[in-house]
């Protein structure tokens, strides 16, 4: 829940602006009064002059009264929630409060919203008593991810006769964040996952020796058997040995955002599929206890290199989704910047690639050497953007079958992605292929071991 608003009196316009607020009815009355006055002078009818003055004076009096009216009105806006997945509605609550001692007249309230969120909402508020308030609400929904400003609120004042309308604007804004939609993925074991789960989880040793211990201050409830007396004597206060801390398995989600790799745009484009899939993969791996970071071809890394990796998974998921909400195509020509960011021992590497030429396929092959296991989802741009007559490959572009072959030769578990594919199905297929590769490697290793024992007469 977020709230935003503006309190106090909207700024009063100048008298000239008030006259500019004359409605069609007010202008018609003014024109009829002037015409009646002119006709009374030509025809010599004094009674017609009195009628003309009355018609002309009515809109002028309404303008002056409305201009002098000083309502003290407070406006606020509340979004519930302020971060929503794409194609999900958010409720916007508007509250108008009369802070003056006089009741207001009929008010028209409207809120400015981007066109992608729907039509501009307008509401007519009845007379608001002194100290009273009115609440109205509307819903906004977007199929496109992004950050969208809401506001400012506009309050339209009118006189009882409808002769004049003045618009007062508040200055407050709120922001609605539309993040990519995330879908559930099957809980299947992936290559490189055992290091982060169960008995295979890595641990940071709490104690390598009396001289290498890293103690901390004693806390209420700590076991007295963990007190480190040498450090206690050195610091003058009770110090205890640290417990072993499990290290989370690490995973890097690599998203190729190059414009040349993902031609086209819109909610049904290959690029939007890749962004949504990256969000789903990151959220799934965070739920499974991985320490996840997002890396793009530009070298941008979220969370950044200064992160300790100990933040809550919900906070990390929110940070990743907020980043993906505003991610756009990049102007990069290749994947070298992302390769430079990768370090050795990355753990699991999950990549979403677009079109690759031979040079970038070779760079992706080098990335594989810096990870424990690597899974690549390669989007077939030709299938995503095939028109009635099909499209041809640009110079240097490699067909998807060749891209898959190059990546698999480098050690990737690579799968093609065509329109209609779901990440859940591809995720299970990737796990099956990775498991088959592991079994094959183990079998080959066992066969080689048996052959070696036979050649040596069974000697170890």
């Amino acid at each position: 829940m977020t709230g935003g608003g503006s309190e106090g009196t909207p700024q009063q316009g100048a008298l000239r602006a008030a006259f500019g607020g004359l409605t069609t009815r007010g202008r018609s009355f003014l024109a009829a009064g002037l015409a009646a006055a002119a006709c009374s002078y030509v025809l010599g009818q004094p009674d017609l002059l009195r009628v003309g003055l009355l018609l002309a004076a009515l809109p002028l009096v309404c303008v002056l009264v409305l201009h002098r009216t000083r309502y003290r009105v407070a406006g606020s806006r509340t979004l519930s929630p302020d971060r929503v997945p794409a194609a999900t509605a958010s409720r916007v609550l508007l509250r108008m409060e009369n802070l003056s001692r006089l009741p207001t007249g009929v008010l028209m309230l409207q809120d400015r919203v981007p066109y992608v969120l729907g039509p501009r909402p307008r509401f007519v508020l009845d007379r608001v008593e002194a100290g009273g308030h009115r609440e109205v609400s509307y819903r906004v929904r977007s199929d496109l991810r992004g950050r969208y400003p809401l506001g400012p609120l506009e309050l339209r004042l009118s006189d009882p006769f409808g002769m004049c309308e003045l618009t007062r604007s508040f200055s407050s804004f709120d922001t609605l964040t539309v993040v990519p939609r995330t879908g559930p993925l099957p809980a299947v074991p992936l290559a490189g996952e055992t290091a982060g789960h169960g008995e295979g989880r890595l641990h940071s040793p709490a104690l390598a020796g009396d001289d290498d211990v890293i103690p901390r201050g004693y806390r209420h409830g700590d076991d007295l058997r963990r007190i480190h007396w040498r450090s206690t004597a050195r610091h003058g206060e009770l110090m205890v040995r640290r417990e072993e801390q499990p290290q989370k398995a690490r995973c890097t989600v690599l998203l190729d955002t190059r414009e040349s790799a993902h031609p086209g745009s819109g909610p049904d484009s290959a690029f939007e599929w890749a962004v949504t899939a990256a969000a789903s993969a990151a959220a799934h791996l965070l739920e499974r206890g991985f320490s996840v970071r997002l890396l793009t071809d530009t070298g941008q890394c979220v969370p950044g290199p200064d992160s300790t990796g100990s933040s809550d998974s919900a906070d990390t998921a929110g940070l990743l989704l907020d980043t993906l909400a505003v991610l756009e195509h990049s102007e990069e020509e290749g994947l070298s910047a992302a390769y430079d960011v990768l370090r050795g021992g990355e753990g699991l590497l999950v990549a979403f690639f677009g079109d690759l030429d031979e040079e970038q396929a070779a760079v992706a092959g080098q990335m594989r050497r810096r990870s424990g296991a690597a899974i690549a989802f390669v989007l077939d741009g030709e299938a995503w953007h095939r028109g009635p007559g099909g499209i041809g490959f640009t110079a240097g572009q490699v067909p998807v079958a060749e891209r898959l072959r190059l990546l698999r030769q480098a050690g990737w578990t690579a799968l093609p992605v065509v329109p209609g594919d779901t990440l859940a199905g591809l995720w299970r297929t990737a796990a099956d292929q990775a498991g088959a590769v592991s079994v094959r490697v183990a079998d080959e290793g066992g066969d080689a071991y048996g052959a070696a024992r036979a050649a040596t007469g069974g000697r170890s």
Side-chain angles (χ1 to χ4, degrees), residues 11-340:
Q11 293 183 355
Q12 299 293 326
L15 185 59
R16 181 180 300 178
F19 278 103
L22 282 172
T23 62
T24 302
R25 179 184 300 178
R27 296 176 186 274
S28 300
F29 267 70
L30 184 60
L34 295 177
C39 291
S40 68
Y41 176 77
V42 173
L43 301 177
Q45 298 291 333
D47 293 336
L48 186 59
L49 177 61
R50 286 192 290 270
V51 173
L53 292 178
L54 177 61
L55 292 176
L58 182 59
L60 297 179
V61 171
C62 291
V63 168
L64 293 177
V65 170
L66 195 61
H67 173 66
R68 297 294 298 177
T69 300
R70 297 185 178 273
Y71 296 132
R72 295 185 62 239
V73 181
S76 64
R77 182 191 302 103
T78 303
L79 304 183
S80 177
D82 62 346
R83 179 200 287 149
V84 295
T88 303
S90 175
R91 182 171 177 265
V92 183
L93 177 65
L94 302 179
R95 178 186 173 94
M96 299 301 300
E97 185 175 359
N98 184 11
L99 303 179
S100 63
R101 298 180 179 179
L102 298 176
T104 68
V106 177
L107 305 177
M108 178 178 287
L109 181 67
Q110 70 177 9
D111 203 6
R112 291 186 180 181
V113 299
Y115 72 94
V116 296
L117 298 182
R120 179 174 296 185
R122 293 183 174 89
F123 305 94
V124 176
L125 304 182
D126 293 333
R127 177 187 179 96
V128 182
E129 64 279 4
H133 69 276
R134 296 288 185 272
E135 291 183 351
V136 293
S137 64
Y138 64 95
R139 293 185 178 274
V140 289
R141 178 181 178 274
S142 174
D143 293 330
L144 299 176
R145 57 187 174 82
R147 285 198 181 101
Y148 301 101
L150 301 180
L153 281 171
E154 293 183 351
L155 192 63
R156 183 172 297 177
L157 309 176
S158 62
D159 63 277
F161 300 101
M163 299 290 179
C164 181
E165 291 183 351
L166 298 181
T167 301
R168 308 288 188 239
S169 295
F170 296 91
S171 59
S172 65
F173 289 85
D174 284 280
T175 301
L176 175 68
T177 303
V178 181
V179 301
R181 300 189 67 178
T182 58
L185 299 181
V188 292
L190 298 174
E193 187 174 354
T194 56
H197 292 81
E199 298 298 330
R201 185 184 294 272
L202 299 178
H203 289 77
S204 298
L207 180 61
D210 285 342
D211 295 332
D212 298 326
V213 68
I214 304 177
R216 62 169 175 80
Y218 175 82
R219 299 172 185 169
H220 179 71
D222 284 339
D223 190 349
L224 296 178
R225 291 174 296 182
R226 292 172 48 212
I227 294 178
H228 191 257
W229 296 107
R230 181 176 298 180
S231 299
T232 298
R234 184 184 305 118
H235 292 86
E237 60 177 341
L238 287 178
M239 306 293 290
V240 297
R241 295 184 179 90
R242 293 180 182 271
E243 295 178 343
E244 289 187 347
Q245 298 293 332
Q247 292 181 350
K248 287 186 176 181
R250 290 182 296 177
C251 174
T252 298
V253 177
L254 174 61
L255 179 58
D256 183 6
T257 64
R258 295 173 299 139
E259 187 173 10
S260 58
H262 297 283
S265 59
D268 297 327
S269 65
F271 179 67
E272 291 300 324
W273 189 98
V275 172
T276 302
S280 299
H284 173 74
L285 292 169
L286 283 170
E287 291 176 356
R288 302 204 65 180
F290 278 79
S291 176
V292 181
R293 67 170 179 168
L294 174 69
L295 178 64
T296 66
D297 55 285
T298 63
Q300 178 187 5
C301 186
V302 180
D306 296 333
S307 176
T308 60
S310 60
S311 60
D312 183 69
S313 60
D315 296 336
T316 303
L319 179 61
L320 293 176
L321 290 177
D322 287 346
T323 302
L324 291 172
V326 295
L327 196 65
E328 300 293 342
H329 283 109
S330 73
E331 301 296 332
E332 292 288 328
E333 297 295 333
L335 303 172
S336 299
Y339 172 75
D340 294 337

